[in-house]
Amino acid sequence: MLKTSFVLLGICLVSKLTVAELVPYWGGDTVRDLHREYGNIFKYGNRNAASHLWSAFLLDRSTQMSEKKLESLFRGFCAISGSPVNPTSYNKYRLSLHKASGGKSIGYMQYCCWPCVCDTQDFIFVDTKTVETAEGPRVFDFAVIGNPCNNSAKLSVPFVQPFDGRQTTLLREAPEVRCQDGELLGAPISDHGHVILSMFFDAKDVDEEAGAVAIHSQRPQPGRMSTVNGIQFQDEMEFKDMCEDRARAGYNSGMGEIFRKVAAISPLKPLDSYAELR
């Protein structure tokens, strides 16, 4: 009886531990250190449309990091493709995205290539999450999508890759997108219940951001660098024509259809859209 009581007490104590307390200490400091964890993060060896696992790795260890360090490490991968990224001003893009809570927000994301701008515009929203850091709780803005496991059957629906005309499925092309009981395995969840892909950096409400109108009024010029408040970046509007051309060509660049197919399973809609349906 006494032995049983100790066992039950042990189970009770373990159940009260947070995920962060159960995760071993990680001594990484740079995005290069993060990239070295690729094999530990992606157990099936493929990061396609699986940036949520990069985010999970960092958020599980957030109590070991300062706010500044956590944010810097989140710049080390592409939210769309899952590719490792070495962050520079040239691969920093400014976008205006819908917020899960309503309204729009302007901020920055690091990408592996320009087509990610188009896919972000079509599918990604911004939502918040309170994260425990070494300095205490902090509220961050994150890039999120709807939960693809709301309809996991679509992962096995055949589609044609635009690059080579090959028929395939998301189960084959994105093996880390795995569902169990309606949940995306390993995915951190935002305040409004959406799948976190990466951070949305330096976010501001649209009406607070200076310089946006001036840049958006110019003719698109891909590769042109802009500067606002000392921050250098490429603006999403520079790729307006290229995104339209890419759509007409069947999304035959960047990640092709892989991320788009995953994000389209349970697409998010602006709050105004839901209001119109009532």
Side-chain angles (χ1 to χ4, degrees), residues 114-115 117-119 121-122 220 222 236-253 260:
W114 70 264
V117 171
C118 319
D119 295 338
Q121 292 171 333
D122 290 344
E236 63 178 336
M237 294 306 294
E238 306 287 13
F239 301 91
K240 179 178 181 295
D241 295 341
M242 292 178 70
C243 285
E244 292 173 355
D245 290 342
R246 178 173 177 258
R248 285 191 290 268
Y251 306 103
N252 61 350
S253 58
R260 298 183 65 84

Side-chain angles (χ1 to χ4, degrees), residues 112-264:
C112 60
C113 55
W114 70 264
C116 298
V117 171
C118 319
D119 295 338
T120 296
Q121 292 171 333
D122 290 344
F123 293 105
I124 288 183
F125 276 51
V126 178
D127 199 8
T128 55
K129 183 177 179 66
T130 301
V131 177
E132 291 291 337
T133 72
E135 301 162 330
R138 298 288 188 273
V139 178
F140 293 95
D141 291 285
F142 289 95
V144 301
I145 60 171
N147 178 13
C149 296
N150 286 340
N151 189 352
S152 59
K154 289 195 174 182
L155 296 176
S156 57
V157 174
F159 69 95
V160 176
Q161 270 286 45
F163 304 110
D164 53 16
R166 174 175 52 88
Q167 182 170 284
T168 186
T169 66
L170 290 174
L171 287 177
R172 176 184 175 87
E173 301 298 328
E176 299 282 1
V177 179
R178 305 172 69 82
C179 300
Q180 182 175 314
D181 299 327
E183 295 184 0
L184 179 59
L185 292 178
I189 302 300
S190 68
D191 286 340
H192 287 82
H194 306 312
V195 172
I196 290 175
L197 299 182
S198 183
M199 273 192 188
F200 191 61
F201 302 102
D202 303 315
K204 297 179 183 294
D205 287 345
V206 167
D207 57 2
E208 296 178 4
E209 178 69 354
V213 175
I215 292 174
H216 290 184
S217 66
Q218 299 179 40
R219 183 171 181 172
Q221 182 180 317
R224 174 168 52 194
M225 299 298 294
S226 300
T227 303
V228 172
N229 297 329
I231 299 176
Q232 284 192 311
F233 58 90
Q234 296 193 64
D235 191 82
E236 63 178 336
M237 294 306 294
E238 306 287 13
F239 301 91
K240 179 178 181 295
D241 295 341
M242 292 178 70
C243 285
E244 292 173 355
D245 290 342
R246 178 173 177 258
R248 285 191 290 268
Y251 306 103
N252 61 350
S253 58
M255 279 289 289
E257 288 275 32
I258 299 174
F259 172 82
R260 298 183 65 84
K261 289 287 186 183
V262 171

Side-chain angles (χ1 to χ4, degrees), residues 29-64:
D29 289 313
T30 67
V31 294
R32 186 163 296 183
D33 293 329
L34 177 62
H35 297 166
R36 292 192 183 102
E37 298 294 333
Y38 186 99
N40 295 321
I41 294 171
F42 301 104
K43 304 295 185 182
Y44 296 88
N46 190 314
R47 44 70 183 171
N48 286 347
S51 290
H52 59 280
L53 296 180
W54 286 115
S55 292
F57 180 87
L58 293 175
L59 291 176
D60 285 349
R61 294 158 178 79
S62 63
T63 58
Q64 304 171 14

Side-chain angles (χ1 to χ4, degrees), residues 6-81:
F6 277 117
V7 170
L8 292 175
L9 177 61
I11 293 173
C12 182
L13 290 174
V14 169
S15 67
K16 292 182 179 180
L17 292 175
T18 65
V19 171
E21 290 170 326
L22 294 172
V23 172
Y25 176 75
W26 181 62
D29 289 313
T30 67
V31 294
R32 186 163 296 183
D33 293 329
L34 177 62
H35 297 166
R36 292 192 183 102
E37 298 294 333
Y38 186 99
N40 295 321
I41 294 171
F42 301 104
K43 304 295 185 182
Y44 296 88
N46 190 314
R47 44 70 183 171
N48 286 347
S51 290
H52 59 280
L53 296 180
W54 286 115
S55 292
F57 180 87
L58 293 175
L59 291 176
D60 285 349
R61 294 158 178 79
S62 63
T63 58
Q64 304 171 14
M65 308 177 201
S66 66
E67 177 181 355
K68 182 178 180 180
K69 177 179 175 179
L70 182 63
E71 184 173 312
S72 70
L73 290 171
F74 260 99
R75 297 180 186 274
F77 59 93
C78 175
I80 300 296
S81 68

